[in-house]
PDB file of all heavy atoms in Angstrom:
ATOM      1  N   TYR M  36     -43.108 -80.385 -34.903  1.00 83.00           N
ATOM      2  CA  TYR M  36     -43.539 -79.583 -36.050  1.00 83.00           C
ATOM      3  C   TYR M  36     -43.265 -80.391 -37.306  1.00 83.00           C
ATOM      4  O   TYR M  36     -42.150 -80.416 -37.818  1.00 83.00           O
ATOM      5  CB  TYR M  36     -42.775 -78.260 -36.079  1.00 83.00           C
ATOM      6  CG  TYR M  36     -43.346 -77.246 -37.061  1.00 83.00           C
ATOM      7  CD1 TYR M  36     -44.146 -76.205 -36.610  1.00 83.00           C
ATOM      8  CD2 TYR M  36     -43.087 -77.335 -38.425  1.00 83.00           C
ATOM      9  CE1 TYR M  36     -44.674 -75.272 -37.493  1.00 83.00           C
ATOM     10  CE2 TYR M  36     -43.611 -76.416 -39.314  1.00 83.00           C
ATOM     11  CZ  TYR M  36     -44.389 -75.392 -38.849  1.00 83.00           C
ATOM     12  OH  TYR M  36     -44.920 -74.473 -39.719  1.00 83.00           O
ATOM     13  N   PHE M  70     -62.151 -98.471 -53.635  1.00 93.00           N
ATOM     14  CA  PHE M  70     -61.159 -99.021 -52.709  1.00 93.00           C
ATOM     15  C   PHE M  70     -59.914 -99.503 -53.465  1.00 93.00           C
ATOM     16  O   PHE M  70     -58.777 -99.189 -53.078  1.00 93.00           O
ATOM     17  CB  PHE M  70     -61.801-100.186 -51.938  1.00 93.00           C
ATOM     18  CG  PHE M  70     -60.862-100.906 -51.019  1.00 93.00           C
ATOM     19  CD1 PHE M  70     -60.411-100.320 -49.843  1.00 93.00           C
ATOM     20  CD2 PHE M  70     -60.428-102.197 -51.315  1.00 93.00           C
ATOM     21  CE1 PHE M  70     -59.548-100.995 -48.992  1.00 93.00           C
ATOM     22  CE2 PHE M  70     -59.572-102.875 -50.470  1.00 93.00           C
ATOM     23  CZ  PHE M  70     -59.134-102.274 -49.306  1.00 93.00           C
ATOM     24  N   VAL M  72     -58.867 -98.802 -56.667  1.00 89.00           N
ATOM     25  CA  VAL M  72     -58.159 -97.714 -57.348  1.00 89.00           C
ATOM     26  C   VAL M  72     -57.427 -96.849 -56.322  1.00 89.00           C
ATOM     27  O   VAL M  72     -56.299 -96.398 -56.564  1.00 89.00           O
ATOM     28  CB  VAL M  72     -59.140 -96.861 -58.183  1.00 89.00           C
ATOM     29  CG1 VAL M  72     -58.436 -95.617 -58.743  1.00 89.00           C
ATOM     30  CG2 VAL M  72     -59.714 -97.689 -59.320  1.00 89.00           C
ATOM     31  N   SER M 100     -39.297-101.079 -43.842  1.00 91.00           N
ATOM     32  CA  SER M 100     -38.515-102.320 -43.968  1.00 91.00           C
ATOM     33  C   SER M 100     -38.903-103.361 -42.927  1.00 91.00           C
ATOM     34  O   SER M 100     -38.701-104.562 -43.132  1.00 91.00           O
ATOM     35  CB  SER M 100     -37.013-102.014 -43.861  1.00 91.00           C
ATOM     36  OG  SER M 100     -36.608-101.171 -44.912  1.00 91.00           O
ATOM     37  N   LEU M 256     -29.195 -85.591 -30.518  1.00 76.00           N
ATOM     38  CA  LEU M 256     -30.487 -85.200 -29.938  1.00 76.00           C
ATOM     39  C   LEU M 256     -30.431 -85.184 -28.410  1.00 76.00           C
ATOM     40  O   LEU M 256     -31.067 -84.349 -27.765  1.00 76.00           O
ATOM     41  CB  LEU M 256     -31.588 -86.154 -30.422  1.00 76.00           C
ATOM     42  CG  LEU M 256     -31.996 -85.999 -31.887  1.00 76.00           C
ATOM     43  CD1 LEU M 256     -32.916 -87.135 -32.321  1.00 76.00           C
ATOM     44  CD2 LEU M 256     -32.684 -84.654 -32.114  1.00 76.00           C
TER      45      LEU M 256
END
Side-chain angles (χ1 to χ4, degrees):
Y36 192 101
F70 176 72
V72 172
S100 298
L256 288 171

